[in-house]
Amino acid sequence: SDLFIHCLPDPHQKHDHNNHQSTQSIALSPIQTNPADNPDPCDGLEMDAVALNEEGVPYFFKGDYVFKGFGGQAKMINKSFPEVDNHHQMDHIDAAFRMHHDDDPTHNNIFFILDDMVYSYYQYKLEEGYPKNISEVFPGIPDHLDAAVECPKPECDEHSVIFFKGHDSYHFNVKTKAVEKKKFESMPNCTSAFRFMEHYYCFHGHMFSKFDPKTGEVHGKQPKDVRDYFMRCSSNNHTERERCSRVHLDAVTSDQAGHMYAFRGHYFLQKDKDGVLKADTIEHAFKELHSDVEAVFSHDDHLYMIKDDNVFAYTVGENHTLLDGYPKPLKEELGIEGHIDAAFVCEDHQHVHIIKGGNHSGTASPRAATGKGKLLLLSKVNAAMCGPEGLKVIVGNNYYRYNSTMLFVAGRALPEQHRVSQELFGCDH
């Protein structure tokens, strides 16, 4: 593959727009106050506890049941964690969380708290000596908790577990066992708490609010319905299908506000700066394109989308409006012809980088290529984007992360491989 660097054009017309992305509300069934023997999370249940398992699959607990994954069916808790069911008068789990260990990153425990007792499981086996009284495992933490969530560094100043009871939160330092009590004034009382893809969510009823684990501040349009984002309900099946699809992306980019857009076939995924994911058809949001975007990059609060031999420029906001004068021929806009594999803009914001297979080269035009480099290690690239974490280059179902474009072009070894569906979109399988 070849890499071409082009000067970015200025849009011919400015538009007023709002950086906050829309999240369509979905009408769902009323909350089920008396769930049946086999409860359905899409009925609007209030979960007792939420935690990731050792493989990163979210477990949702309600009464005697656990839902494994975003679309899991109700299973009895005692089939996976039999000792918890033996707890006297156990009708629900108060709190649950996964804990990793700095000295052994492969050792992840799942902790359950019931009344004043703590259960610790490793690989679905109760660890020796458990259950223990909460005062022995987490001294200074009250019993009969509402929720708990792990908070590793640097997301918290020190590796901590945050425990919630009523209006109070207790920050337990894992290393020193010191406890700091705080009041998160802007947060609702959490019935469960959840860390997912480095974001923190307070569940209350069938709603959730994303919060800052250090300050408890809640930002943006909160709360949101759990069923729209964390449950595989019939009303949001597009999102779950696209989240976990093994088909490679056609194009991907992130804008200055921190929102990510990923395109595949007739659909696109939009992940907002809070980590919330929604899917829609390309035709609905970008009606002039219909489907099959070849490449996309963002610049100056606009999305530039390449299809066939044309460039389409859209505003970023509640609605995506095509800028006046677009689409424009690819050759006129970027000084290049032929199919493009990927495009991205990095921190300098002055050049667009084009990845193109075969032996194509930039054509002469006022916006001709300013530089060209041969990729040494990757013969095929499906999509790429730059962001705060560097350059992410997508090849098939995986992506590679580079600290700079230079390392991507001239590097002699591939960096660690990451799975697109799980690490970019939070697929649970």
Side-chain angles (χ1 to χ4, degrees):
S1 294
D2 294 322
L3 176 70
F4 303 88
I5 303 175
H6 299 257
C7 293
L8 279 168
D10 291 328
H12 291 284
Q13 182 175 351
K14 295 286 186 180
H15 293 255
D16 293 330
H17 52 272
N18 184 348
N19 279 335
H20 189 89
Q21 298 303 301
S22 61
T23 53
Q24 297 181 351
S25 59
I26 300 174
L28 293 169
S29 58
I31 297 175
Q32 183 182 30
T33 55
N34 294 300
D37 289 340
N38 292 307
D40 183 352
C42 293
D43 289 334
L45 302 181
E46 176 181 285
M47 294 299 168
D48 299 323
V50 185
L52 296 177
N53 76 349
E54 295 162 16
E55 293 78 36
V57 176
Y59 280 13
F60 299 86
F61 298 92
K62 177 64 177 178
D64 296 325
Y65 295 92
V66 57
F67 304 90
K68 298 181 179 181
F70 297 125
Q73 299 297 312
K75 304 292 184 182
M76 296 298 294
I77 293 175
N78 60 14
K79 299 297 184 183
S80 300
F81 309 101
E83 295 83 1
V84 169
D85 196 45
N86 294 333
H87 184 82
H88 68 283
Q89 298 179 340
M90 197 288 279
D91 59 354
H92 72 278
I93 293 172
D94 290 333
F97 60 94
R98 184 181 69 173
M99 171 85 81
H100 83 278
H101 296 265
D102 294 330
D103 55 350
D104 184 3
T106 64
H107 193 108
N108 291 314
N109 296 67
I110 300 180
F111 282 93
F112 297 102
I113 301 176
L114 291 81
D115 298 334
D116 58 353
M117 301 303 292
V118 177
Y119 295 73
S120 176
Y121 283 85
Y122 176 60
Q123 296 182 346
Y124 296 95
K125 294 182 179 180
L126 187 68
E127 295 206 291
E128 186 177 353
Y130 284 89
K132 298 180 179 179
N133 192 278
I134 192 171
S135 62
E136 182 181 352
V137 185
F138 302 110
I141 300 301
D143 52 24
H144 293 84
L145 293 163
D146 295 326
V149 64
E150 182 193 26
C151 185
K153 293 177 63 174
E155 296 161 25
C156 281
D157 294 332
E158 299 293 341
H159 184 195
S160 307
V161 180
I162 305 174
F163 297 92
F164 298 90
K165 184 171 183 177
H167 296 287
D168 298 320
S169 65
Y170 301 81
H171 297 244
F172 181 86
N173 187 309
V174 173
K175 184 177 181 180
T176 66
K177 299 187 182 300
V179 177
E180 182 181 4
K181 184 178 178 181
K182 298 182 180 180
K183 283 189 180 295
F184 285 169
E185 300 289 352
S186 63
M187 277 180 59
N189 289 356
C190 303
T191 55
S192 56
F194 186 36
R195 176 182 180 264
F196 186 62
M197 297 186 73
E198 300 178 358
H199 294 285
Y200 292 79
Y201 303 96
C202 166
F203 286 52
H204 41 100
H206 69 292
M207 308 297 286
F208 74 91
S209 298
K210 179 177 175 289
F211 68 96
D212 184 325
K214 293 182 180 180
T215 65
E217 293 181 5
V218 175
H219 299 289
K221 293 183 177 180
Q222 310 285 349
K224 296 181 171 70
D225 196 308
V226 170
R227 296 169 290 180
D228 288 355
Y229 302 95
F230 294 109
M231 300 299 169
R232 192 173 293 128
C233 302
S234 59
S235 55
N236 61 12
N237 56 2
H238 288 329
T239 299
E240 292 310 316
R241 183 192 64 244
E242 293 300 316
R243 181 201 301 267
C244 293
S245 174
R246 298 298 190 264
V247 178
H248 71 75
L249 296 176
D250 297 327
V252 65
T253 192
S254 60
D255 63 23
Q256 290 175 312
H259 307 111
M260 183 176 71
Y261 306 83
F263 299 83
R264 180 193 290 119
H266 289 265
Y267 293 88
F268 78 100
L269 285 161
Q270 178 179 318
K271 187 167 77 170
D272 68 20
K273 60 185 178 181
D274 293 332
V276 174
L277 193 71
K278 296 289 286 185
D280 200 350
T281 62
I282 294 173
E283 186 173 30
H284 180 260
F286 307 95
K287 61 182 180 180
E288 295 82 3
L289 282 169
H290 183 67
S291 63
D292 299 318
V293 176
E294 291 179 14
V296 60
F297 63 91
S298 59
H299 172 66
D300 194 28
D301 289 331
H302 297 98
L303 296 176
Y304 291 85
M305 306 168 77
I306 300 169
K307 180 177 180 179
D308 299 326
D309 293 320
N310 293 302
V311 178
F312 299 75
Y314 288 88
T315 58
V316 173
E318 293 286 343
N319 298 300
H320 302 290
T321 304
L322 187 69
L323 297 186
D324 290 345
Y326 286 87
K328 295 182 179 181
L330 179 62
K331 182 176 180 180
E332 174 187 330
E333 190 75 345
L334 295 176
I336 198 167
E337 291 180 302
H339 175 77
I340 288 176
D341 295 320
F344 59 91
V345 175
C346 283
E347 61 280 352
D348 57 16
H349 299 294
Q350 300 301 318
H351 300 92
V352 56
H353 302 266
I354 302 292
I355 303 173
K356 191 172 158 48
N359 297 314
H360 293 284
S361 61
T363 59
S365 80
R367 299 191 179 103
T370 59
K372 176 180 176 181
K374 189 74 175 178
L375 302 183
L376 298 179
L377 297 175
L378 296 174
S379 60
K380 174 64 176 176
V381 170
N382 296 117
M385 68 174 177
C386 256
E389 296 179 339
L391 172 64
K392 294 176 181 175
V393 178
I394 297 172
V395 181
N397 296 329
N398 302 300
Y399 71 91
Y400 303 93
R401 188 162 56 203
Y402 296 86
N403 290 329
S404 69
T405 305
M406 182 62 68
L407 289 175
F408 166 55
V409 175
R412 299 288 179 176
L414 288 174
E416 180 183 357
Q417 193 177 77
H418 302 267
R419 182 61 64 88
V420 170
S421 59
Q422 293 177 330
E423 298 188 55
L424 284 188
F425 301 134
C427 177
D428 59 354
H429 60 275

